[in-house]
Amino acid sequence: MNRIFVCLFFVLSFLSASAQQFSQYNTGSLYDSFENPSQRAFIPDSSRAVAFNFLIPNFDANFYVTGRAQSALKNRAFLGNYDVSALTPPGKGGLNHFNAGGNNYWVMLKFYTNLSGDVEMGFSAQTKVESKGLITDETIRLLSGSSTFPDDHYENIFNNHYQLQIYDQLSYTYRKRFSKEIAFGFKLSYLSGVKYDKIDVENSAIQFNRIPDINGNESAVISMQGRYYHSYVPGRLDGRDFLPNFRNPGASITIGASYLTEDGITIQGNIKDLGFIHWSKRSFINDFNNSANINGINSPNREDNIYNASYKLFSGNAAVTGFNTKTNAKADFSVTKNYWFDDEKTIRYFPTLIAQKELFYPGFTGAWVNSVQKNNLIGTLTATYDDYKLFNLGLQVMVKSPNAEFFIGTERLINTGRLTFAALKNKTQINHVGSYTGANIFMGFSLKFGRVIEHPMNSSYIAMGEKGFFGRLFGRIFKTYN
């Protein structure tokens, strides 16, 4: 599959990348405690004192595309050709919004360090992707060739906007309960930038040359004016570039607090991933205003030809310089309450209402999370609605005991199913144009080990002065619980 198609659509769905995962709120999972740092991961007198994911990735990957281009992109992805019949006619201004992101925890390690205040401390390593943009119908139409453009000249039909940011995040997290009602937590992070690209096209034009050359290939001259940001990567992007380094340093902070009312309602607020990345001075910014010739625009290699000509246009005469970018910070507010269905407290219903706002972008999402727990099994049905007028239903299944947890789910249940059928070459789903095409999947696992956290009056263990491995390793750093 050619590079430009990958950049525009399909690879975004497979990046272990900054979607919010609402289904985990108030589940008490290790993932939840790192994402919402005022949330506890340990239960005294039940849990063991060390939680770890054993290097098994805990991830959330998400993408969607809106607009009339959905059918054309699915046809190209799953059948190998474009069907542009659903696109708006050239020059009519059809736009498609896309968003992709996710969050992959490679390492999650947390310790319960003090019974006085329920103090928890932890370390994590994760990779994030943040990507969004607007792409015109004519851009997708051009990838299918020139034959569906009735005129020879068009203005401003390729005014696209695209942004991709990938970075590693190494974090220290701390959580403390100040009273029965109030808990506070934070996550301090060092960021290591992996890749950044941003393209803003403000003006564009194309002139088709319908006279074929000696090989029967037509050509076109494309002109664009705008700005292109590109981070420095030594050579081709590969696995080594995802290792943390100091080439593109940054920092971020997440702060959260929760309050338990007299009525048993938990109110929680967070500011998440408020930070920046400074990209290397070997990166470049280019204010382009140029033209490029696209040969073979009706040939089987047209997608690569379009990509190569466009990249040359974007990157020519660039100024080598460093620059700063923001992370996609969010603020959220939630309320939840427990309802027990039996006297033995084996069946619990805990709904959560969540409002989340992106701080530097227009994105706003409201979520209603409905979780039911019976013993160690939790089922969650989530409904979300955002300012792009996209409604979603999600489903999560979690198996959780005090010392082990596994969960899997999606927050785009219907659309993930539709895309799965499309990938199986179901023609109805491939040609379906709904409010959006997209998918989401998340999954996680962790275990707790070590000594059981016990209050002194309930203790079944009498300290004799011996220390285990983690006691020797971390005894000088953390206060031990009593």
Side-chain angles (χ1 to χ4, degrees):
M1 188 172 290
N2 63 85
R3 291 168 293 177
I4 190 169
F5 180 71
V6 168
C7 289
L8 293 177
F9 178 65
F10 202 59
V11 77
L12 296 174
S13 65
F14 294 105
L15 292 171
S16 292
S18 157
Q20 179 58 46
Q21 211 278 80
F22 294 113
S23 299
Q24 283 291 298
Y25 272 64
N26 299 302
T27 59
S29 68
L30 185 60
Y31 186 101
D32 181 30
S33 72
F34 276 99
E35 289 293 287
N36 302 297
S38 67
Q39 292 295 298
R40 69 192 309 171
F42 299 91
I43 304 173
D45 298 318
S46 296
S47 301
R48 297 184 180 274
V50 183
F52 188 35
N53 71 326
F54 289 89
L55 306 183
I56 297 174
N58 283 233
F59 70 90
D60 175 20
N62 172 78
F63 90 102
Y64 66 83
V65 177
T66 70
R68 306 296 299 176
Q70 297 172 52
S71 175
L73 290 171
K74 286 185 287 185
N75 270 274
R76 178 61 181 90
F78 304 127
L79 299 180
N81 57 75
Y82 291 96
D83 181 352
V84 299
S85 59
L87 297 177
T88 56
K92 298 300 182 181
L95 289 175
N96 307 274
H97 175 83
F98 70 87
N99 188 299
N103 183 11
N104 185 30
Y105 279 94
W106 303 102
V107 177
M108 294 191 297
L109 179 63
K110 182 165 278 195
F111 306 90
Y112 192 94
T113 63
N114 201 320
L115 275 169
S116 178
D118 276 351
V119 177
E120 301 177 10
M121 299 182 186
F123 303 92
S124 63
Q126 61 195 114
T127 300
K128 287 190 173 182
V129 171
E130 303 166 352
S131 182
K132 59 178 59 185
L134 288 169
I135 185 169
T136 64
D137 278 4
E138 290 87 353
T139 302
I140 306 301
R141 186 180 290 274
L142 184 65
L143 296 173
S144 71
S146 59
S147 61
T148 62
F149 288 86
D151 298 331
D152 291 339
H153 182 80
Y154 293 90
E155 298 278 347
N156 293 321
I157 62 171
F158 304 124
N159 293 0
N160 299 311
H161 302 272
Y162 165 77
Q163 178 178 320
L164 170 67
Q165 182 165 256
I166 308 174
Y167 58 92
D168 294 320
Q169 185 169 349
L170 304 178
S171 305
Y172 165 77
T173 187
Y174 175 92
R175 187 258 184 188
K176 180 179 176 65
R177 181 170 58 86
F178 290 100
S179 66
K180 183 180 179 181
E181 296 82 15
I182 299 173
F184 172 80
F186 63 84
K187 184 166 80 169
L188 300 177
S189 302
Y190 168 76
L191 307 183
S192 174
V194 175
K195 183 176 178 59
Y196 184 84
D197 276 303
K198 183 179 181 183
I199 300 170
D200 290 307
V201 180
E202 304 300 337
N203 295 288
S204 60
I206 191 167
Q207 178 69 46
F208 292 103
N209 179 9
R210 310 287 185 177
I211 301 175
D213 60 17
I214 58 175
N215 296 316
N217 293 323
E218 298 178 5
S219 63
V221 176
I222 189 168
S223 303
M224 293 186 185
Q225 182 265 323
R227 173 168 282 199
Y228 177 41
Y229 294 82
H230 179 73
S231 64
Y232 166 71
V233 177
R236 291 180 177 271
L237 186 69
D238 58 29
R240 291 172 296 180
D241 295 303
F242 284 85
L243 297 175
N245 57 68
F246 296 99
R247 186 169 61 241
N248 304 302
S252 71
I253 185 170
T254 296
I255 302 174
S258 60
Y259 177 75
L260 179 64
T261 70
E262 294 180 355
D263 298 325
I265 298 173
T266 299
I267 302 171
Q268 180 185 182
N270 297 285
I271 300 293
K272 297 182 176 180
D273 299 315
L274 181 62
F276 72 96
I277 299 174
H278 177 73
W279 298 92
S280 165
K281 63 182 180 181
R282 299 177 70 178
S283 304
F284 67 75
I285 301 174
N286 185 28
D287 289 310
F288 57 87
N289 187 3
N290 206 350
S291 300
N293 192 63
I294 306 173
N295 295 311
I297 201 166
N298 61 333
S299 73
N301 297 322
R302 62 185 177 276
E303 293 164 324
D304 285 331
N305 295 341
I306 293 169
Y307 174 87
N308 293 330
S310 299
Y311 183 77
K312 182 179 179 181
L313 189 155
F314 293 148
S315 59
N317 302 317
V320 179
T321 181
F323 54 87
N324 298 319
T325 61
K326 303 180 291 290
T327 54
N328 189 14
K330 301 180 179 72
D332 67 38
F333 178 84
S334 67
V335 293
T336 187
K337 185 176 181 179
N338 291 326
Y339 298 92
W340 296 97
F341 290 165
D342 60 339
D343 295 335
E344 292 77 19
K345 292 189 175 182
T346 61
I347 303 176
R348 176 173 66 121
Y349 170 56
F350 52 108
T352 304
L353 290 173
I354 306 167
Q356 184 180 88
K357 177 69 177 68
E358 297 182 23
L359 296 182
F360 304 121
Y361 301 99
F364 177 85
T365 304
W368 183 26
V369 183
N370 297 272
S371 297
V372 177
Q373 179 176 4
K374 179 175 175 54
N375 297 323
N376 293 335
L377 183 63
I378 302 175
T380 301
L381 181 67
T382 302
T384 62
Y385 188 77
D386 61 32
D387 53 357
Y388 290 105
K389 299 181 179 179
L390 302 182
F391 175 78
N392 289 286
L393 287 175
L395 184 66
Q396 173 185 254
V397 176
M398 171 182 278
V399 179
K400 187 178 188 304
S401 70
N403 295 306
E405 61 198 31
F406 171 79
F407 59 87
I408 187 170
T410 176
E411 293 195 344
R412 301 186 186 277
L413 179 63
I414 296 173
N415 291 79
T416 300
R418 283 176 172 168
L419 190 64
T420 300
F421 280 111
L424 296 173
K425 302 189 185 323
N426 182 295
K427 192 67 175 178
T428 300
Q429 294 303 326
I430 289 175
N431 291 327
H432 178 264
V433 177
S435 57
Y436 75 92
T437 292
N440 167 254
I441 184 172
F442 57 85
M443 185 170 64
F445 166 84
S446 70
L447 290 175
K448 296 184 179 74
F449 59 95
R451 195 148 50 88
V452 175
I453 303 165
E454 294 179 310
H455 287 87
M457 296 298 293
N458 300 329
S459 180
S460 60
Y461 171 81
I462 300 176
M464 301 300 292
E466 70 276 9
K467 291 185 178 181
F469 172 75
F470 281 98
R472 293 191 299 270
L473 183 61
F474 296 101
R476 296 182 180 180
I477 303 175
F478 303 127
K479 297 179 181 179
T480 58
Y481 51 82
N482 299 306

